[in-house]
PDB file of all heavy atoms in Angstrom:
ATOM      1  N   PRO A   1     115.848 161.997 300.353  1.00 94.00           N
ATOM      2  CA  PRO A   1     114.905 160.839 300.342  1.00 94.00           C
ATOM      3  C   PRO A   1     115.186 159.783 301.359  1.00 94.00           C
ATOM      4  O   PRO A   1     114.598 158.709 301.326  1.00 94.00           O
ATOM      5  CB  PRO A   1     115.055 160.284 298.881  1.00 94.00           C
ATOM      6  CG  PRO A   1     116.342 160.763 298.406  1.00 94.00           C
ATOM      7  CD  PRO A   1     116.702 162.103 299.184  1.00 94.00           C
ATOM      8  N   GLY A   2     116.090 159.996 302.271  1.00 95.00           N
ATOM      9  CA  GLY A   2     116.163 159.214 303.496  1.00 95.00           C
ATOM     10  C   GLY A   2     117.048 158.007 303.546  1.00 95.00           C
ATOM     11  O   GLY A   2     117.063 157.255 304.491  1.00 95.00           O
ATOM     12  N   ALA A   3     117.920 157.755 302.506  1.00 93.00           N
ATOM     13  CA  ALA A   3     118.750 156.534 302.505  1.00 93.00           C
ATOM     14  C   ALA A   3     119.684 156.478 303.623  1.00 93.00           C
ATOM     15  O   ALA A   3     119.865 155.432 304.282  1.00 93.00           O
ATOM     16  CB  ALA A   3     119.425 156.410 301.171  1.00 93.00           C
ATOM     17  N   VAL A   4     120.377 157.543 303.912  1.00 92.00           N
ATOM     18  CA  VAL A   4     121.408 157.523 304.993  1.00 92.00           C
ATOM     19  C   VAL A   4     120.681 157.373 306.416  1.00 92.00           C
ATOM     20  O   VAL A   4     121.111 156.618 307.221  1.00 92.00           O
ATOM     21  CB  VAL A   4     122.314 158.852 305.021  1.00 92.00           C
ATOM     22  CG1 VAL A   4     123.173 158.886 306.230  1.00 92.00           C
ATOM     23  CG2 VAL A   4     123.105 158.854 303.756  1.00 92.00           C
ATOM     24  N   THR A   5     119.538 158.113 306.521  1.00 94.00           N
ATOM     25  CA  THR A   5     118.727 157.989 307.739  1.00 94.00           C
ATOM     26  C   THR A   5     118.363 156.535 308.026  1.00 94.00           C
ATOM     27  O   THR A   5     118.513 155.940 309.069  1.00 94.00           O
ATOM     28  CB  THR A   5     117.515 158.896 307.674  1.00 94.00           C
ATOM     29  OG1 THR A   5     117.920 160.209 307.350  1.00 94.00           O
ATOM     30  CG2 THR A   5     116.819 158.897 309.101  1.00 94.00           C
ATOM     31  N   ALA A   6     117.858 155.912 306.924  1.00 95.00           N
ATOM     32  CA  ALA A   6     117.384 154.505 307.018  1.00 95.00           C
ATOM     33  C   ALA A   6     118.550 153.571 307.338  1.00 95.00           C
ATOM     34  O   ALA A   6     118.403 152.594 308.127  1.00 95.00           O
ATOM     35  CB  ALA A   6     116.655 154.065 305.781  1.00 95.00           C
ATOM     36  N   HIS A   7     119.705 153.873 306.733  1.00 93.00           N
ATOM     37  CA  HIS A   7     120.868 152.987 306.957  1.00 93.00           C
ATOM     38  C   HIS A   7     121.323 153.113 308.410  1.00 93.00           C
ATOM     39  O   HIS A   7     121.606 152.091 309.054  1.00 93.00           O
ATOM     40  CB  HIS A   7     121.981 153.425 305.994  1.00 93.00           C
ATOM     41  CG  HIS A   7     123.217 152.556 306.094  1.00 93.00           C
ATOM     42  ND1 HIS A   7     123.259 151.188 305.666  1.00 93.00           N
ATOM     43  CD2 HIS A   7     124.486 152.848 306.473  1.00 93.00           C
ATOM     44  CE1 HIS A   7     124.429 150.703 305.851  1.00 93.00           C
ATOM     45  NE2 HIS A   7     125.238 151.692 306.288  1.00 93.00           N
ATOM     46  N   LEU A   8     121.391 154.290 308.905  1.00 93.00           N
ATOM     47  CA  LEU A   8     121.728 154.549 310.379  1.00 93.00           C
ATOM     48  C   LEU A   8     120.735 153.780 311.252  1.00 93.00           C
ATOM     49  O   LEU A   8     121.083 153.198 312.286  1.00 93.00           O
ATOM     50  CB  LEU A   8     121.832 155.980 310.662  1.00 93.00           C
ATOM     51  CG  LEU A   8     123.059 156.690 310.072  1.00 93.00           C
ATOM     52  CD1 LEU A   8     122.882 158.204 310.210  1.00 93.00           C
ATOM     53  CD2 LEU A   8     124.344 156.202 310.536  1.00 93.00           C
ATOM     54  N   HIS A   9     119.470 153.896 310.892  1.00 94.00           N
ATOM     55  CA  HIS A   9     118.403 153.140 311.641  1.00 94.00           C
ATOM     56  C   HIS A   9     118.671 151.677 311.646  1.00 94.00           C
ATOM     57  O   HIS A   9     118.574 150.993 312.718  1.00 94.00           O
ATOM     58  CB  HIS A   9     117.043 153.528 311.170  1.00 94.00           C
ATOM     59  CG  HIS A   9     115.914 152.868 311.884  1.00 94.00           C
ATOM     60  ND1 HIS A   9     115.395 151.606 311.525  1.00 94.00           N
ATOM     61  CD2 HIS A   9     115.224 153.224 312.976  1.00 94.00           C
ATOM     62  CE1 HIS A   9     114.467 151.268 312.361  1.00 94.00           C
ATOM     63  NE2 HIS A   9     114.328 152.217 313.254  1.00 94.00           N
ATOM     64  N   GLY A  10     119.020 151.211 310.495  1.00 93.00           N
ATOM     65  CA  GLY A  10     119.300 149.778 310.274  1.00 93.00           C
ATOM     66  C   GLY A  10     120.548 149.321 311.142  1.00 93.00           C
ATOM     67  O   GLY A  10     120.628 148.144 311.464  1.00 93.00           O
ATOM     68  N   LEU A  11     121.423 150.268 311.419  1.00 91.00           N
ATOM     69  CA  LEU A  11     122.564 149.980 312.278  1.00 91.00           C
ATOM     70  C   LEU A  11     122.309 150.102 313.765  1.00 91.00           C
ATOM     71  O   LEU A  11     123.134 150.011 314.620  1.00 91.00           O
ATOM     72  CB  LEU A  11     123.769 150.923 311.925  1.00 91.00           C
ATOM     73  CG  LEU A  11     124.297 150.712 310.507  1.00 91.00           C
ATOM     74  CD1 LEU A  11     125.332 151.876 310.212  1.00 91.00           C
ATOM     75  CD2 LEU A  11     124.916 149.346 310.336  1.00 91.00           C
ATOM     76  N   GLY A  12     121.003 150.334 314.075  1.00 91.00           N
ATOM     77  CA  GLY A  12     120.565 150.306 315.441  1.00 91.00           C
ATOM     78  C   GLY A  12     120.483 151.686 316.138  1.00 91.00           C
ATOM     79  O   GLY A  12     120.216 151.780 317.328  1.00 91.00           O
ATOM     80  N   LEU A  13     120.712 152.716 315.457  1.00 92.00           N
ATOM     81  CA  LEU A  13     120.626 154.047 316.031  1.00 92.00           C
ATOM     82  C   LEU A  13     119.177 154.642 316.081  1.00 92.00           C
ATOM     83  O   LEU A  13     118.394 154.277 315.217  1.00 92.00           O
ATOM     84  CB  LEU A  13     121.491 155.057 315.247  1.00 92.00           C
ATOM     85  CG  LEU A  13     122.959 154.765 315.267  1.00 92.00           C
ATOM     86  CD1 LEU A  13     123.735 155.833 314.409  1.00 92.00           C
ATOM     87  CD2 LEU A  13     123.550 154.713 316.652  1.00 92.00           C
ATOM     88  N   THR A  14     118.907 155.419 317.073  1.00 91.00           N
ATOM     89  CA  THR A  14     117.697 156.188 317.105  1.00 91.00           C
ATOM     90  C   THR A  14     117.977 157.383 316.274  1.00 91.00           C
ATOM     91  O   THR A  14     118.677 158.296 316.765  1.00 91.00           O
ATOM     92  CB  THR A  14     117.328 156.542 318.587  1.00 91.00           C
ATOM     93  OG1 THR A  14     117.205 155.373 319.378  1.00 91.00           O
ATOM     94  CG2 THR A  14     116.054 157.314 318.578  1.00 91.00           C
ATOM     95  N   VAL A  15     117.500 157.453 315.084  1.00 92.00           N
ATOM     96  CA  VAL A  15     117.835 158.469 314.129  1.00 92.00           C
ATOM     97  C   VAL A  15     116.544 159.077 313.503  1.00 92.00           C
ATOM     98  O   VAL A  15     115.512 158.447 313.410  1.00 92.00           O
ATOM     99  CB  VAL A  15     118.724 157.927 313.044  1.00 92.00           C
ATOM    100  CG1 VAL A  15     118.149 156.877 312.264  1.00 92.00           C
ATOM    101  CG2 VAL A  15     119.279 159.065 312.145  1.00 92.00           C
ATOM    102  N   PHE A  16     116.650 160.373 313.194  1.00 92.00           N
ATOM    103  CA  PHE A  16     115.506 161.006 312.515  1.00 92.00           C
ATOM    104  C   PHE A  16     116.141 161.897 311.391  1.00 92.00           C
ATOM    105  O   PHE A  16     117.291 162.397 311.543  1.00 92.00           O
ATOM    106  CB  PHE A  16     114.597 161.809 313.438  1.00 92.00           C
ATOM    107  CG  PHE A  16     115.281 162.916 314.099  1.00 92.00           C
ATOM    108  CD1 PHE A  16     115.251 164.262 313.574  1.00 92.00           C
ATOM    109  CD2 PHE A  16     115.913 162.694 315.286  1.00 92.00           C
ATOM    110  CE1 PHE A  16     115.839 165.279 314.221  1.00 92.00           C
ATOM    111  CE2 PHE A  16     116.576 163.787 315.931  1.00 92.00           C
ATOM    112  CZ  PHE A  16     116.557 165.091 315.440  1.00 92.00           C
ATOM    113  N   GLY A  17     115.382 162.026 310.329  1.00 94.00           N
ATOM    114  CA  GLY A  17     115.868 162.866 309.206  1.00 94.00           C
ATOM    115  C   GLY A  17     115.120 164.209 309.194  1.00 94.00           C
ATOM    116  O   GLY A  17     113.891 164.263 309.530  1.00 94.00           O
ATOM    117  N   VAL A  18     115.792 165.252 308.762  1.00 92.00           N
ATOM    118  CA  VAL A  18     115.167 166.595 308.610  1.00 92.00           C
ATOM    119  C   VAL A  18     115.619 167.075 307.255  1.00 92.00           C
ATOM    120  O   VAL A  18     116.719 167.056 306.861  1.00 92.00           O
ATOM    121  CB  VAL A  18     115.682 167.543 309.708  1.00 92.00           C
ATOM    122  CG1 VAL A  18     115.153 168.939 309.515  1.00 92.00           C
ATOM    123  CG2 VAL A  18     115.410 167.061 311.095  1.00 92.00           C
ATOM    124  N   ASP A  19     114.575 167.522 306.475  1.00 93.00           N
ATOM    125  CA  ASP A  19     114.845 168.066 305.202  1.00 93.00           C
ATOM    126  C   ASP A  19     113.901 169.260 304.959  1.00 93.00           C
ATOM    127  O   ASP A  19     112.781 169.275 305.421  1.00 93.00           O
ATOM    128  CB  ASP A  19     114.658 167.035 304.055  1.00 93.00           C
ATOM    129  CG  ASP A  19     115.346 167.494 302.800  1.00 93.00           C
ATOM    130  OD1 ASP A  19     114.826 168.230 301.961  1.00 93.00           O
ATOM    131  OD2 ASP A  19     116.580 167.054 302.668  1.00 93.00           O
ATOM    132  N   LEU A  20     114.396 170.218 304.210  1.00 92.00           N
ATOM    133  CA  LEU A  20     113.622 171.490 303.940  1.00 92.00           C
ATOM    134  C   LEU A  20     112.418 171.161 302.996  1.00 92.00           C
ATOM    135  O   LEU A  20     111.437 171.825 303.034  1.00 92.00           O
ATOM    136  CB  LEU A  20     114.533 172.514 303.287  1.00 92.00           C
ATOM    137  CG  LEU A  20     113.999 173.882 302.942  1.00 92.00           C
ATOM    138  CD1 LEU A  20     113.573 174.603 304.221  1.00 92.00           C
ATOM    139  CD2 LEU A  20     115.049 174.611 302.251  1.00 92.00           C
ATOM    140  N   SER A  21     112.559 170.182 302.179  1.00 95.00           N
ATOM    141  CA  SER A  21     111.565 169.834 301.119  1.00 95.00           C
ATOM    142  C   SER A  21     110.517 168.826 301.595  1.00 95.00           C
ATOM    143  O   SER A  21     110.778 167.654 301.906  1.00 95.00           O
ATOM    144  CB  SER A  21     112.353 169.185 299.887  1.00 95.00           C
ATOM    145  OG  SER A  21     111.390 168.627 299.027  1.00 95.00           O
ATOM    146  N   PRO A  22     109.238 169.304 301.659  1.00 96.00           N
ATOM    147  CA  PRO A  22     108.145 168.288 301.993  1.00 96.00           C
ATOM    148  C   PRO A  22     108.109 167.194 300.998  1.00 96.00           C
ATOM    149  O   PRO A  22     107.800 166.070 301.348  1.00 96.00           O
ATOM    150  CB  PRO A  22     106.876 169.150 301.937  1.00 96.00           C
ATOM    151  CG  PRO A  22     107.359 170.604 302.165  1.00 96.00           C
ATOM    152  CD  PRO A  22     108.738 170.644 301.515  1.00 96.00           C
ATOM    153  N   GLY A  23     108.455 167.426 299.701  1.00 96.00           N
ATOM    154  CA  GLY A  23     108.452 166.378 298.696  1.00 96.00           C
ATOM    155  C   GLY A  23     109.481 165.339 299.034  1.00 96.00           C
ATOM    156  O   GLY A  23     109.287 164.058 298.868  1.00 96.00           O
ATOM    157  N   MET A  24     110.692 165.722 299.430  1.00 96.00           N
ATOM    158  CA  MET A  24     111.704 164.779 299.780  1.00 96.00           C
ATOM    159  C   MET A  24     111.301 163.974 301.070  1.00 96.00           C
ATOM    160  O   MET A  24     111.519 162.760 301.138  1.00 96.00           O
ATOM    161  CB  MET A  24     113.057 165.484 300.039  1.00 96.00           C
ATOM    162  CG  MET A  24     113.718 165.998 298.824  1.00 96.00           C
ATOM    163  SD  MET A  24     114.418 164.642 297.806  1.00 96.00           S
ATOM    164  CE  MET A  24     115.423 165.594 296.642  1.00 96.00           C
ATOM    165  N   VAL A  25     110.731 164.674 302.014  1.00 97.00           N
ATOM    166  CA  VAL A  25     110.330 164.011 303.251  1.00 97.00           C
ATOM    167  C   VAL A  25     109.218 162.986 302.948  1.00 97.00           C
ATOM    168  O   VAL A  25     109.245 161.856 303.451  1.00 97.00           O
ATOM    169  CB  VAL A  25     109.852 165.051 304.316  1.00 97.00           C
ATOM    170  CG1 VAL A  25     109.158 164.357 305.487  1.00 97.00           C
ATOM    171  CG2 VAL A  25     111.062 165.813 304.814  1.00 97.00           C
ATOM    172  N   ALA A  26     108.274 163.323 302.059  1.00 97.00           N
ATOM    173  CA  ALA A  26     107.230 162.336 301.723  1.00 97.00           C
ATOM    174  C   ALA A  26     107.863 161.051 301.076  1.00 97.00           C
ATOM    175  O   ALA A  26     107.410 160.027 301.354  1.00 97.00           O
ATOM    176  CB  ALA A  26     106.200 163.028 300.766  1.00 97.00           C
ATOM    177  N   LEU A  27     108.807 161.285 300.132  1.00 96.00           N
ATOM    178  CA  LEU A  27     109.492 160.132 299.525  1.00 96.00           C
ATOM    179  C   LEU A  27     110.225 159.336 300.583  1.00 96.00           C
ATOM    180  O   LEU A  27     110.167 158.107 300.495  1.00 96.00           O
ATOM    181  CB  LEU A  27     110.353 160.601 298.419  1.00 96.00           C
ATOM    182  CG  LEU A  27     109.701 161.227 297.194  1.00 96.00           C
ATOM    183  CD1 LEU A  27     110.738 161.896 296.313  1.00 96.00           C
ATOM    184  CD2 LEU A  27     108.949 160.141 296.433  1.00 96.00           C
ATOM    185  N   ALA A  28     110.868 160.011 301.496  1.00 96.00           N
ATOM    186  CA  ALA A  28     111.590 159.278 302.530  1.00 96.00           C
ATOM    187  C   ALA A  28     110.661 158.533 303.375  1.00 96.00           C
ATOM    188  O   ALA A  28     110.968 157.328 303.707  1.00 96.00           O
ATOM    189  CB  ALA A  28     112.400 160.314 303.405  1.00 96.00           C
ATOM    190  N   ARG A  29     109.565 159.046 303.764  1.00 97.00           N
ATOM    191  CA  ARG A  29     108.575 158.335 304.645  1.00 97.00           C
ATOM    192  C   ARG A  29     108.005 157.153 303.936  1.00 97.00           C
ATOM    193  O   ARG A  29     107.827 156.084 304.533  1.00 97.00           O
ATOM    194  CB  ARG A  29     107.424 159.276 305.074  1.00 97.00           C
ATOM    195  CG  ARG A  29     107.871 160.309 306.091  1.00 97.00           C
ATOM    196  CD  ARG A  29     106.771 161.264 306.374  1.00 97.00           C
ATOM    197  NE  ARG A  29     107.163 162.204 307.418  1.00 97.00           N
ATOM    198  CZ  ARG A  29     106.511 163.387 307.610  1.00 97.00           C
ATOM    199  NH1 ARG A  29     105.561 163.759 306.830  1.00 97.00           N
ATOM    200  NH2 ARG A  29     106.979 164.162 308.575  1.00 97.00           N
ATOM    201  N   ARG A  30     107.760 157.296 302.651  1.00 96.00           N
ATOM    202  CA  ARG A  30     107.209 156.145 301.853  1.00 96.00           C
ATOM    203  C   ARG A  30     108.159 155.070 301.704  1.00 96.00           C
ATOM    204  O   ARG A  30     107.886 153.882 301.835  1.00 96.00           O
ATOM    205  CB  ARG A  30     106.735 156.711 300.535  1.00 96.00           C
ATOM    206  CG  ARG A  30     105.941 155.670 299.725  1.00 96.00           C
ATOM    207  CD  ARG A  30     105.219 156.140 298.521  1.00 96.00           C
ATOM    208  NE  ARG A  30     105.940 157.300 297.839  1.00 96.00           N
ATOM    209  CZ  ARG A  30     105.383 158.511 297.686  1.00 96.00           C
ATOM    210  NH1 ARG A  30     104.271 158.870 298.289  1.00 96.00           N
ATOM    211  NH2 ARG A  30     106.060 159.474 297.054  1.00 96.00           N
ATOM    212  N   ALA A  31     109.479 155.397 301.433  1.00 95.00           N
ATOM    213  CA  ALA A  31     110.477 154.393 301.140  1.00 95.00           C
ATOM    214  C   ALA A  31     111.063 153.744 302.500  1.00 95.00           C
ATOM    215  O   ALA A  31     111.423 152.652 302.493  1.00 95.00           O
ATOM    216  CB  ALA A  31     111.685 155.044 300.380  1.00 95.00           C
ATOM    217  N   HIS A  32     110.994 154.550 303.554  1.00 96.00           N
ATOM    218  CA  HIS A  32     111.691 154.072 304.748  1.00 96.00           C
ATOM    219  C   HIS A  32     110.691 154.376 305.993  1.00 96.00           C
ATOM    220  O   HIS A  32     110.857 155.373 306.694  1.00 96.00           O
ATOM    221  CB  HIS A  32     113.005 154.833 305.016  1.00 96.00           C
ATOM    222  CG  HIS A  32     113.856 154.822 303.838  1.00 96.00           C
ATOM    223  ND1 HIS A  32     114.489 153.664 303.395  1.00 96.00           N
ATOM    224  CD2 HIS A  32     114.212 155.841 302.950  1.00 96.00           C
ATOM    225  CE1 HIS A  32     115.202 153.986 302.263  1.00 96.00           C
ATOM    226  NE2 HIS A  32     115.025 155.275 302.069  1.00 96.00           N
ATOM    227  N   PRO A  33     109.725 153.524 306.194  1.00 96.00           N
ATOM    228  CA  PRO A  33     108.703 153.891 307.181  1.00 96.00           C
ATOM    229  C   PRO A  33     109.208 153.776 308.709  1.00 96.00           C
ATOM    230  O   PRO A  33     108.495 154.410 309.528  1.00 96.00           O
ATOM    231  CB  PRO A  33     107.536 152.777 306.979  1.00 96.00           C
ATOM    232  CG  PRO A  33     108.266 151.738 306.120  1.00 96.00           C
ATOM    233  CD  PRO A  33     109.404 152.301 305.457  1.00 96.00           C
ATOM    234  N   ALA A  34     110.310 153.148 308.887  1.00 95.00           N
ATOM    235  CA  ALA A  34     110.700 153.034 310.311  1.00 95.00           C
ATOM    236  C   ALA A  34     111.260 154.270 311.000  1.00 95.00           C
ATOM    237  O   ALA A  34     110.814 154.678 312.042  1.00 95.00           O
ATOM    238  CB  ALA A  34     111.646 151.779 310.529  1.00 95.00           C
ATOM    239  N   PRO A  35     112.243 154.882 310.431  1.00 96.00           N
ATOM    240  CA  PRO A  35     112.698 156.149 311.027  1.00 96.00           C
ATOM    241  C   PRO A  35     111.731 157.314 310.795  1.00 96.00           C
ATOM    242  O   PRO A  35     110.929 157.301 309.914  1.00 96.00           O
ATOM    243  CB  PRO A  35     114.093 156.449 310.300  1.00 96.00           C
ATOM    244  CG  PRO A  35     114.094 155.697 309.068  1.00 96.00           C
ATOM    245  CD  PRO A  35     113.038 154.502 309.235  1.00 96.00           C
ATOM    246  N   ARG A  36     111.864 158.284 311.694  1.00 95.00           N
ATOM    247  CA  ARG A  36     111.032 159.455 311.607  1.00 95.00           C
ATOM    248  C   ARG A  36     111.693 160.458 310.616  1.00 95.00           C
ATOM    249  O   ARG A  36     112.962 160.636 310.633  1.00 95.00           O
ATOM    250  CB  ARG A  36     110.907 160.144 312.966  1.00 95.00           C
ATOM    251  CG  ARG A  36     110.067 159.328 313.916  1.00 95.00           C
ATOM    252  CD  ARG A  36     110.068 159.924 315.317  1.00 95.00           C
ATOM    253  NE  ARG A  36     111.389 160.122 315.859  1.00 95.00           N
ATOM    254  CZ  ARG A  36     111.895 161.190 316.410  1.00 95.00           C
ATOM    255  NH1 ARG A  36     111.101 162.256 316.667  1.00 95.00           N
ATOM    256  NH2 ARG A  36     113.145 161.240 316.913  1.00 95.00           N
ATOM    257  N   PHE A  37     110.897 161.196 309.856  1.00 96.00           N
ATOM    258  CA  PHE A  37     111.362 162.302 309.060  1.00 96.00           C
ATOM    259  C   PHE A  37     110.507 163.515 309.235  1.00 96.00           C
ATOM    260  O   PHE A  37     109.301 163.399 309.430  1.00 96.00           O
ATOM    261  CB  PHE A  37     111.251 161.825 307.546  1.00 96.00           C
ATOM    262  CG  PHE A  37     112.176 160.722 307.153  1.00 96.00           C
ATOM    263  CD1 PHE A  37     111.728 159.455 307.250  1.00 96.00           C
ATOM    264  CD2 PHE A  37     113.505 160.977 306.791  1.00 96.00           C
ATOM    265  CE1 PHE A  37     112.651 158.388 306.911  1.00 96.00           C
ATOM    266  CE2 PHE A  37     114.350 159.992 306.466  1.00 96.00           C
ATOM    267  CZ  PHE A  37     113.946 158.697 306.538  1.00 96.00           C
ATOM    268  N   HIS A  38     111.088 164.647 309.284  1.00 93.00           N
ATOM    269  CA  HIS A  38     110.478 165.905 309.545  1.00 93.00           C
ATOM    270  C   HIS A  38     110.830 166.922 308.490  1.00 93.00           C
ATOM    271  O   HIS A  38     112.005 166.981 308.020  1.00 93.00           O
ATOM    272  CB  HIS A  38     110.893 166.441 310.904  1.00 93.00           C
ATOM    273  CG  HIS A  38     110.717 165.453 312.013  1.00 93.00           C
ATOM    274  ND1 HIS A  38     109.463 165.267 312.629  1.00 93.00           N
ATOM    275  CD2 HIS A  38     111.598 164.744 312.625  1.00 93.00           C
ATOM    276  CE1 HIS A  38     109.627 164.347 313.556  1.00 93.00           C
ATOM    277  NE2 HIS A  38     110.906 163.994 313.569  1.00 93.00           N
ATOM    278  N   VAL A  39     109.883 167.826 308.235  1.00 94.00           N
ATOM    279  CA  VAL A  39     110.156 168.962 307.330  1.00 94.00           C
ATOM    280  C   VAL A  39     110.765 169.988 308.245  1.00 94.00           C
ATOM    281  O   VAL A  39     110.174 170.378 309.298  1.00 94.00           O
ATOM    282  CB  VAL A  39     108.932 169.498 306.652  1.00 94.00           C
ATOM    283  CG1 VAL A  39     109.218 170.737 305.844  1.00 94.00           C
ATOM    284  CG2 VAL A  39     108.337 168.419 305.700  1.00 94.00           C
ATOM    285  N   GLY A  40     111.881 170.535 307.918  1.00 89.00           N
ATOM    286  CA  GLY A  40     112.558 171.527 308.748  1.00 89.00           C
ATOM    287  C   GLY A  40     113.793 172.113 308.051  1.00 89.00           C
ATOM    288  O   GLY A  40     114.118 171.634 306.919  1.00 89.00           O
TER     289      GLY A  40
END
């Protein structure tokens, strides 16, 4: 659901998240709109 990705983004990194689950990616995108998330 993107918490670590969002935290790294907040620390100034260019970061993106990848998860196998489209459901998890949808939740991550909704909760953390700034970093990119991909299904993969």
